[in-house]
Amino acid sequence: MALIKRAHGAEHPYWAFGPFKIRLPLLHYRIEMPEVIQGLVMFVVGLAMIPLLEKYLGMPYEAALAFTFIAGLGYILPAMLGVPLVPGWITPAIPVVILYLKGFEPGPEAIKAMFALQIEVTIIFLILGITRWGSKLVDIIPNSLKSGIIIGAGIAAMMGELKVGGRIDATPFSLIVGSLISAYVLFSLSFKNVVDTNPLAKKIANFGMVPGMLIAMVVGWGVGEYPLPDIEWGITQPDFALMWQYLVFSVGFPGWDVFLLAIPTAVIAYVIAFGDIIVGFTLVKRVDHIRDDEKIETSVDRVHVVTAIRNAIHSFFAPWPGLAGPLWTAAHATVAERYAMGRKAMDSIYSGGGTFWITGLVALFILPLVTLFKPVLPIALSLTLVLTAYICIMVGMEQLKNPTERGVAGIVAVTLAMPDPKSTVYAVAIGLILYYLIERPKLLGKHNPDDEIIFAGGDEDEPEKVKKKETA
């Protein structure tokens, strides 16, 4: 139980500190046992970055493992500083980052390149957060473009798993079974009906992705898609001394030419992360109206500043191909769904997200867990990508208001999902052009949203023009 209690209908207690609202476990919020159990399993997704660190940055396993501890410290910052989102990576940007890193030799050159990219992402988030331009972007960017980016990121995440040579080819049984079970527990309407009447189903629902993850691992081991683990006992001992050899303090800082090369990838990563922020707050708003006992503040600017801090930490102490993103979509959806069950299920949105990643950090020190999950790291990442795809497409479609917006968003999404490192730049450009050419009733001059014209059926040659009704 937390020492400081929340009054019904109020914002959760905090200590004000500049732009942040500090909340500490046990003092401000209670520990949620379902999130403890989830954290002891789902922390494995953080370990899934290790193979990329080994392959593209050229570091040994022990140093890469130490990087995951730095990442673990960053994961606990958002809930602590007043952000109601479960943080993660900028996951859909990983393929773009890898294409960028392929231009550098693994080792010191790749580490310098990764530093340049991540520090630029830090600067973008920091400037937009401090100037409050980040929150203005939410209103300025056309709805069709925002939704198209979200949907396109979802499609790209799914296609990465389904493409020829993807994980569906290597591990079809574990991936398909795990995805179906996770989707059923998290999103199925029929399962929600069972939860209302069956205590066992309600307990299963409390654990979100965990049942699907565990069953996928068992299936993978059972059919030989993954090797059996070699479990070791004791406490994990990451090699921080070795890790220091793979930081810019040891390998040196990059030249200006590397910073220039990193700019397009940094901008692409931010655009995708911006879509994650929209998805995260949309999921929060969907459950916020269900609970009248807590007022949840959604500050886009604070998300930007906290994400900038996490990327700055990574830049200097753990260059990270996944980058530090504002949202782990699948985990946040799990927390949001359980939050909607009421205060007895989860006291606060912060107690859910905070407990999840504090437990995840502790789990990194439990050597039997780390070695148990080591062989199945790829399936953890795959299930995250598949569920992220579903949520992105669902939320993106939900925000589109009329056929015109849906058409523009569809073109943006398809363009973004193309296997081209510049696809995000093309998608944004095409989205803006189509918005001005197709959506606006006045190509030039001031735009009044109440004057928008949508096409609601009628003959193809003479579509019926219907004036958009004024919305509250």
Side-chain angles (χ1 to χ4, degrees):
M1 297 295 291
L3 294 178
I4 303 176
K5 306 298 181 183
R6 179 180 77 245
H8 187 88
E11 187 177 354
H12 203 70
Y14 62 88
W15 292 333
F17 183 73
F20 308 114
K21 295 184 175 181
I22 297 177
R23 296 179 174 93
L24 302 178
L26 299 179
L27 183 62
H28 293 101
Y29 63 80
R30 74 187 189 193
I31 299 298
E32 306 284 356
M33 287 310 299
E35 273 63 45
V36 169
I37 296 173
Q38 287 189 64
L40 289 174
V41 176
M42 299 306 298
F43 85 100
V44 66
V45 176
L47 295 177
M49 187 55 59
I50 290 177
L52 300 185
L53 291 168
E54 292 174 319
K55 181 175 181 179
Y56 295 103
L57 297 190
M59 63 179 57
Y61 174 83
E62 293 76 14
L65 181 62
F67 272 29
T68 66
F69 281 80
I70 303 299
L73 292 172
Y75 294 140
I76 68 176
L77 289 180
M80 184 182 295
L81 298 179
V83 175
L85 306 179
V86 179
W89 311 334
I90 309 179
T91 308
I94 291 176
V96 181
V97 175
I98 288 175
L99 282 174
Y100 163 74
L101 289 176
K102 283 182 176 179
F104 301 89
E105 186 71 23
E109 294 304 313
I111 292 169
K112 292 178 184 179
M114 192 63 237
F115 169 83
L117 171 60
Q118 195 138 32
I119 203 68
E120 287 177 358
V121 172
T122 299
I123 293 170
I124 293 173
F125 272 104
L126 188 62
I127 291 176
L128 294 178
I130 292 177
T131 60
R132 299 182 181 273
W133 291 345
S135 57
K136 293 177 182 177
L137 280 176
V138 175
D139 299 321
I140 294 174
I141 294 180
N143 193 51
S144 56
L145 179 56
K146 289 187 291 188
S147 298
I149 290 173
I150 295 170
I151 296 169
I155 294 173
M158 178 64 80
M159 294 309 296
E161 299 302 305
L162 300 181
K163 69 182 181 181
V164 176
R167 228 120 33 199
I168 191 67
D169 281 350
T171 58
F173 293 104
S174 54
L175 179 54
I176 292 173
V177 171
S179 298
L180 290 176
I181 292 175
S182 297
Y184 182 74
V185 171
L186 285 173
F187 309 117
S188 171
L189 297 178
S190 64
F191 185 71
K192 283 181 170 55
N193 288 331
V194 175
V195 167
D196 293 336
T197 58
N198 190 305
L200 177 60
K202 187 172 184 177
K203 289 180 180 179
I204 294 174
N206 282 337
F207 300 123
M209 284 180 63
V210 171
M213 182 81 74
L214 292 178
I215 292 174
M217 291 175 179
V218 171
V219 170
W221 285 324
V223 301
E225 290 180 344
Y226 292 102
L228 292 174
D230 181 16
I231 299 177
E232 302 175 23
W233 301 94
I235 298 175
T236 309
Q237 296 182 348
D239 195 334
F240 290 103
L242 180 62
M243 179 193 81
W244 193 264
Q245 299 178 24
Y246 296 88
L247 303 179
V248 289
F249 306 110
S250 298
V251 302
F253 288 82
W256 287 110
D257 57 329
V258 180
F259 282 103
L260 291 175
L261 286 172
I263 290 174
T265 306
V267 173
I268 289 170
Y270 173 76
V271 171
I272 294 174
F274 180 79
D276 282 344
I277 295 173
I278 296 171
V279 170
F281 282 155
T282 300
L283 291 173
V284 168
K285 290 175 183 177
R286 289 180 63 182
V287 298
D288 187 27
H289 74 279
I290 299 174
R291 297 267 301 264
D292 60 358
D293 62 283
E294 179 179 12
K295 178 184 177 183
I296 303 176
E297 183 202 31
T298 53
S299 170
V300 175
D301 299 315
R302 186 179 302 127
V303 175
H304 276 74
V305 174
V306 173
T307 306
I309 293 172
R310 291 177 55 221
N311 275 291
I313 293 172
H314 272 294
S315 299
F316 291 99
F317 300 105
W320 197 252
L323 302 171
L327 182 74
W328 180 1
T329 311
H332 181 68
T334 300
V335 170
E337 287 292 324
R338 219 174 69 75
Y339 177 80
M341 295 179 183
R343 190 166 186 175
K344 287 185 178 180
M346 184 184 293
D347 182 42
S348 167
I349 194 76
Y350 299 99
S351 64
T355 299
F356 181 89
W357 271 126
I358 289 174
T359 306
L361 179 60
V362 172
L364 288 172
F365 289 93
I366 305 175
L367 185 59
L369 282 178
V370 173
T371 52
L372 171 66
F373 293 127
K374 184 177 178 180
V376 291
L377 294 181
I379 193 62
L381 179 57
S382 290
L383 290 182
T384 295
L385 289 169
V386 170
L387 294 176
T388 296
Y390 178 87
I391 295 166
C392 285
I393 294 170
M394 175 186 69
V395 172
M397 294 292 290
E398 191 176 61
Q399 294 187 50
L400 297 168
K401 300 182 180 68
N402 57 60
T404 307
E405 285 191 354
R406 285 192 282 272
V408 173
I411 298 298
V412 171
V414 172
T415 306
L416 182 69
M418 291 191 307
D420 187 311
K422 297 180 181 178
S423 61
T424 304
V425 176
Y426 298 149
V428 172
I430 290 172
L432 290 173
I433 292 170
L434 292 180
Y435 169 73
Y436 278 95
L437 289 179
I438 297 176
E439 289 190 57
R440 289 172 59 96
K442 295 180 180 179
L443 189 59
L444 301 174
K446 188 176 180 180
H447 171 47
N448 182 1
D450 293 335
D451 291 336
E452 285 182 2
I453 295 173
I454 62 175
F455 293 90
D459 186 87
E460 290 183 0
D461 296 324
E462 296 181 355
E464 177 187 358
K465 294 183 179 180
V466 181
K467 188 170 182 179
K468 181 181 176 183
K469 292 183 179 179
E470 183 173 311
T471 55

